[in-house]
Each structure stands twice: as C-alpha cells, then as structure tokens.
Amino acid sequence: MRRGERRGAEGPRPGSPVPGGKASLEEPPDGAAAGRASGPAAGRRSTESEVYDDGTNTFFWRAHTLTVLFILTCVLGYVTLLEETPRDTAYNTKRGIVASILVFLCFGVTQAKDGPFSRPHPAYWRFWLCVSVVYELFLIFILFQTVQDGRQFLKYVDPRLGVPLPERDYGGNCLIYDADNKTDPFHNVWDKLDGFVPAHFIGWYLKTLMIRDWWMCTIVSVMFEFLEYSLEHQLPNFSECWWDHWIMDVLVCNGLGIYCGMKTLEWLSLKTYKWQGLWNIPTYKGKMKRIVFQFTPYSWVRFEWKPASSLRRWLAVCGIILVFLLAELNTFYLKFVLWLPPEHYLVLLRLVFFVNVGGVAMREIYDFMDDPKLHKKLGQQAWLVAAITVTELLIVVKYDPHTLTLSLPFYIAQCWTLGSVLALTWTVWRFFLRDITLRYKETRRQKQQSRDHQGRADGSVDGRTPGPDDASGSEEADREGVPAPH
C-alpha cells in the first residue's frame, strides 16, 4: 500500500494537514488519531493547544520515495560505470564509508517512522533520527577498539587529532578587582568573557525549550555547578573561580537563557495555531509570514511534570535530570579521553546533534509518562538518546579508568552522601510513610462514619431519632475508648 493510501486508511499522517475547520492534536504518533477523533477537544489533553488546518496537501508534504530512489540509483550508476576508481586504498575506504552512511540516511529520511514533530518538515526529524543511529554505531565501534587505536582512528576524521592535549590553567587568579594591575584591574573578568559565554546562554535557552519547566532547568543548572566543584580534581577545566560558577554561569548565562526560554514558552502556549496553505493566502505579507511560521511548532503541549504526584513520575523526573547531567559531563570527559581540543568542530557537531534530538526525546518521554495507555513504549528518539549517553559513558570508563577512579575529597563525599540520604528519606516519606498515614486516617474516618450511621439506625429502631446530643456523646465516648450509650 502506498503512503498516501495508508494515510487515508489510518487517518491523517503525523504532522500532515488535517481537514479544514477540525482541530488536530499536536503531531500524534501513528494510530493516535483514530483513538482521539471523537471531537475537537475530546481526546486532547488540557495542556495541548487547539489547532486548525485547512488540509492543504502540497508538493512540499507529499512522499517522494520513488524520486529519491531514482536519484540515488543514478548517482550510484554514475560512480560505478563512468567514474574511474582511484588506486588509493585509504581514500576508497573513506569514500565507501561516507557513501554507505548517505545511502542509509536516504532510506531513513524517506521510510523511517515519523516522530512527534512535523515542523519545518517531518523529513528533517527523520534525518536526525538516522543520524542518531549512525552516531551510536560509531560510538560502538570506538568502544570496541583499544585505547591507542581508538584515539588514532580519529586521525582518519582529522589528521590533527590523535595527539595529547596541552596542559592549561583554568582557575588562575580569581580576584574580580586586581589592584596590582594598574592598566586593567578587571582583566580577570574580561578574560572569562570568551565565546563560551554566548554558547552557555544559547545552550540554556534551547534546553529550556526542551524541558519546558523553570524548576527542572534551575535544578539541572545548579547541580551541574556542584558537579564541577566535585570533579575538579579529575578534570582541570572544571576548576573555575567562585564568581565564574555562580555569577557568570548560574545567574548571568544560564539564568538569562532560562528566562528568555520561559518567555518563549509563554508566547508559544498563547499563540493561535491556525494553518493555511501558502497559495490560499491572498497577500504577499501573509505568504511571507506563513513561510516564517513554518519554522515554528505545528501546535504546542505544555509540560506538567508533577514529580511529587506519584513514585513513577518522581523516579522518571530524577532519571531525566540524571541523563541531562550525564550528557553534560560526557561533553568534557570525551574531549579529555579522546584528545579533542575544545574548539574542534567535532565538539560543536555533537552539541548541534543533541540540540536537534533532545527536544524530540523530551517530548517522547513526556508522552510516555503522561499518557501510558496510548504510548505503551518509549519513543525511538528517546531510546537512542539514552543509549548514546550510556555508550559515551562506557567509552570514558574504558579509555581512562584511572581518572574516573580518583577518590573524591572527604568533604565532597560527605556532602553528596548527605544529599543522597536526604533525597532517599524524602522519597520514602512522601511515597510510602505519608501514604500509609493518609490511608490509616481515611480508614479511621470511614469506620467512624460507619459507627455513627449504625448508631442512628439503632436509634430509629428504638422509636426515636438520634439528636445532636447523642452524636456528640458518641464522639466523646469514642475518644475515651468507651462505647456510647444508645
């Protein structure tokens, strides 16, 4: 069955336009439309925005599987029949690997399952899903090499790699105002204002758009600074001045990024999601506005994590925070163990990769938590992001176990032990002891009501109706542990 026929049989395809005047859910996964099509708001969660789409299905949205297959076949035929194969084995190996990856990406972009997002185009998110598979396979390959071979293999990517990183002093002089420097007393502050300042701001702005919760973003931001304090004996670039940790990072860069992200989330939650086909818009201004809005979400879901509502959600939120922190730490540890300079383009490409896959993964995790009856399994992108994070950690563990096994300073270990005990104690109290106490109080209340009702029934049998004095007497007797006289 062709894609268009399947779409007609199963309902609208995720991210595709819906019939005019009807509300669409925000990019539901396959099979979701059939279970939620009983009305504009019948199946929509309270946190989902309402969407109206005129149903225009242009060339931009149609499947192009045969076109892509034809172009791919032509390119491969040209390389095979018309191009002379070079005699350079290393060059042929590189080109063969790149060609294999490109063919896989072509297959994935046209045939992979759609995710929860459809703007600017579903093929864009299918592309990043396939890139996730390629990156995970690359990590698995690196994991199965010896330490020396793994580092030297990166020379095939960039000949400048595969050499130890030079030692650098990251802490240095931490005086905000250096009176000994007459020409520029604030030179320590200016030295910290490098390209990583806007990178921190942009990174936390995008992370806020992924997490969509101010408290969770703030917790991750503060906890990462504590991790830098705790691990500066392992990695020298974690050693920063106190004002660099708490003023430059937490308050200025991270805080401003979170604030701007929350303002953007507020605008997206209030925005009207009404879509028209480009050629159905009469004015040029309207057409330009429609083109710009193509790069905004098709609709919006407000995340309500509610970590204290149940043990399942509490553990899920703790797991999300843990994976976020682990992915952040992997950035620094991978650079250290694979000898990657901080300014190398591979480091930047990894960050761009996580920006694109992180939002999809967070949405899939939220759907899995918030609506487990509909989303019975973890989404494909979330699964891959978790696998990639764990694989990166395993590479770090294998390539430099000595650094990771450096013991924490005693006072640092005490702080983390105390924090862990407090978190565990709160968990036990909130989801076990508190629930037992509430259930016990509810049982006592129900028994009290049952005794009161039985007393009134006995009074009616005796030929009189129990009055207020009887009820109060019964309550006082119960408190004393003696049955009340009827």
Side-chain angles (χ1 to χ4, degrees):
M1 186 184 300
R2 291 178 300 182
R3 181 170 298 188
E5 296 171 349
R6 187 178 72 247
R7 192 180 311 166
E10 298 180 355
R13 187 183 178 191
S16 63
V18 298
K22 293 186 178 180
S24 169
L25 303 176
E26 179 188 1
E27 301 96 43
D30 291 340
R36 295 189 175 189
S38 56
R44 193 174 63 249
R45 290 173 289 187
S46 60
T47 57
E48 294 187 39
S49 61
E50 192 170 353
V51 182
Y52 293 92
D53 197 319
D54 66 359
T56 302
N57 189 19
T58 61
F59 178 83
F60 181 72
W61 291 105
R62 294 172 191 154
H64 302 288
T65 53
L66 293 178
T67 304
V68 173
L69 179 60
F70 176 75
I71 295 175
L72 182 62
T73 304
C74 291
V75 172
L76 294 178
Y78 171 81
V79 173
T80 303
L81 302 176
L82 301 179
E83 187 177 84
E84 183 179 355
T85 304
R87 298 298 180 182
D88 189 342
T89 302
Y91 174 77
N92 290 336
T93 302
K94 292 180 183 179
R95 193 170 69 156
I97 293 174
V98 171
S100 301
I101 293 173
L102 291 177
V103 171
F104 172 73
L105 292 179
C106 289
F107 167 78
V109 166
T110 55
Q111 300 292 346
K113 178 183 175 183
D114 285 336
F117 294 163
S118 66
R119 293 293 192 266
H121 195 282
Y124 177 81
W125 304 108
R126 293 197 293 267
F127 168 80
W128 285 108
L129 175 67
C130 297
V131 171
S132 303
V133 176
V134 173
Y135 181 52
E136 172 65 6
L137 295 177
F138 171 76
L139 292 176
I140 295 295
F141 177 82
I142 293 293
L143 181 63
F144 277 78
Q145 307 306 306
T146 64
V147 176
Q148 183 65 20
D149 289 345
R151 288 168 175 166
Q152 295 305 314
F153 176 78
L154 295 178
K155 283 183 173 292
Y156 292 101
V157 180
D158 187 342
R160 296 172 297 176
L161 299 178
V163 295
L165 297 177
E167 295 289 339
R168 295 178 60 180
D169 181 19
Y170 289 89
N173 189 353
C174 288
L175 291 175
I176 298 178
Y177 183 86
D178 189 1
D180 295 335
N181 192 318
K182 303 300 182 181
T183 58
D184 188 5
F186 294 98
H187 67 96
N188 290 327
V189 178
W190 309 134
D191 290 342
K192 302 296 182 182
L193 297 178
D194 51 16
F196 291 100
V197 172
H200 269 270
F201 167 77
I202 296 173
W204 273 102
Y205 173 78
L206 296 173
K207 290 173 189 173
T208 306
L209 297 184
M210 296 178 196
I211 301 176
R212 308 184 192 182
D213 185 86
W214 183 85
W215 278 107
M216 281 185 64
C217 290
T218 304
I219 290 172
V220 173
S221 173
V222 173
M223 284 193 66
F224 185 74
E225 298 303 322
F226 279 117
L227 284 174
E228 285 190 325
Y229 269 120
S230 305
L231 300 174
E232 62 183 15
H233 67 288
Q234 294 184 0
L235 293 187
N237 54 345
F238 283 159
S239 178
E240 298 176 346
C241 300
W242 67 267
W243 48 268
D244 197 3
H245 278 295
W246 302 110
I247 298 178
M248 295 290 293
D249 286 350
V250 174
L251 293 180
V252 178
C253 298
N254 302 359
L256 189 59
I258 294 173
Y259 174 79
C260 294
M262 293 305 297
K263 287 298 180 181
T264 305
L265 293 175
E266 182 180 348
W267 174 75
L268 289 171
S269 63
L270 298 176
K271 178 179 176 292
T272 301
Y273 293 91
K274 187 174 182 179
W275 301 100
Q276 287 181 279
L278 185 65
W279 307 115
N280 297 337
I281 301 175
T283 63
Y284 286 106
K285 181 179 179 180
K287 293 180 186 294
M288 294 302 298
K289 186 177 179 181
R290 175 64 181 84
I291 293 174
V292 172
F293 278 146
Q294 182 65 28
F295 295 90
T296 63
Y298 180 76
S299 69
W300 193 248
V301 170
R302 186 177 68 256
F303 287 1
E304 293 181 353
W305 293 104
K306 300 178 182 178
S309 62
S310 67
L311 180 61
R312 180 177 182 267
R313 294 183 77 96
W314 168 249
L315 295 177
V317 170
C318 290
I320 292 170
I321 294 175
L322 177 63
V323 172
F324 251 93
L325 294 174
L326 188 58
E328 293 275 1
L329 290 176
N330 286 344
T331 303
F332 296 91
Y333 279 94
L334 281 175
K335 291 187 297 184
F336 183 76
V337 302
L338 294 179
W339 296 348
L340 293 172
E343 64 278 359
H344 197 270
Y345 71 89
L346 288 180
V347 179
L348 178 61
L349 286 178
R350 179 184 176 275
L351 296 178
V352 171
F353 164 76
F354 270 101
V355 164
N356 283 277
V357 303
V360 182
M362 290 300 296
R363 172 61 193 279
E364 290 178 344
I365 293 172
Y366 182 79
D367 286 340
F368 182 67
M369 289 173 50
D370 196 55
D371 198 356
K373 293 182 179 179
L374 180 63
H375 304 274
K376 299 183 184 298
K377 61 181 181 180
L378 187 64
Q380 51 193 2
Q381 188 67 80
W383 191 95
L384 279 169
V385 168
I388 287 169
T389 305
V390 173
T391 308
E392 288 180 340
L393 175 62
L394 293 176
I395 290 175
V396 173
V397 171
K398 177 178 179 178
Y399 277 52
D400 197 351
H402 174 71
T403 298
L404 289 181
T405 53
L406 292 176
S407 59
L408 293 174
F410 181 68
Y411 69 96
I412 295 292
Q414 282 184 317
C415 292
W416 281 106
T417 301
L418 177 60
S420 302
V421 169
L422 290 176
L424 182 61
T425 303
W426 185 88
T427 302
V428 172
W429 173 82
R430 176 63 180 81
F431 299 107
F432 295 98
L433 299 181
R434 179 175 175 270
D435 288 349
I436 293 174
T437 304
L438 291 177
R439 284 197 295 268
Y440 174 71
K441 290 181 178 179
E442 178 65 18
T443 302
R444 286 192 58 185
R445 187 184 65 82
Q446 292 177 356
K447 288 182 179 179
Q448 181 67 36
Q449 289 179 346
S450 177
R451 285 196 297 265
D452 292 343
H453 181 72
Q454 183 65 31
R456 294 190 186 96
D458 293 343
S460 300
V461 172
D462 292 342
R464 65 184 182 90
T465 303
D469 295 338
D470 297 326
S472 61
S474 174
E475 292 176 359
E476 293 175 1
D478 286 342
R479 283 195 295 268
E480 296 295 333
V482 181
H486 296 296

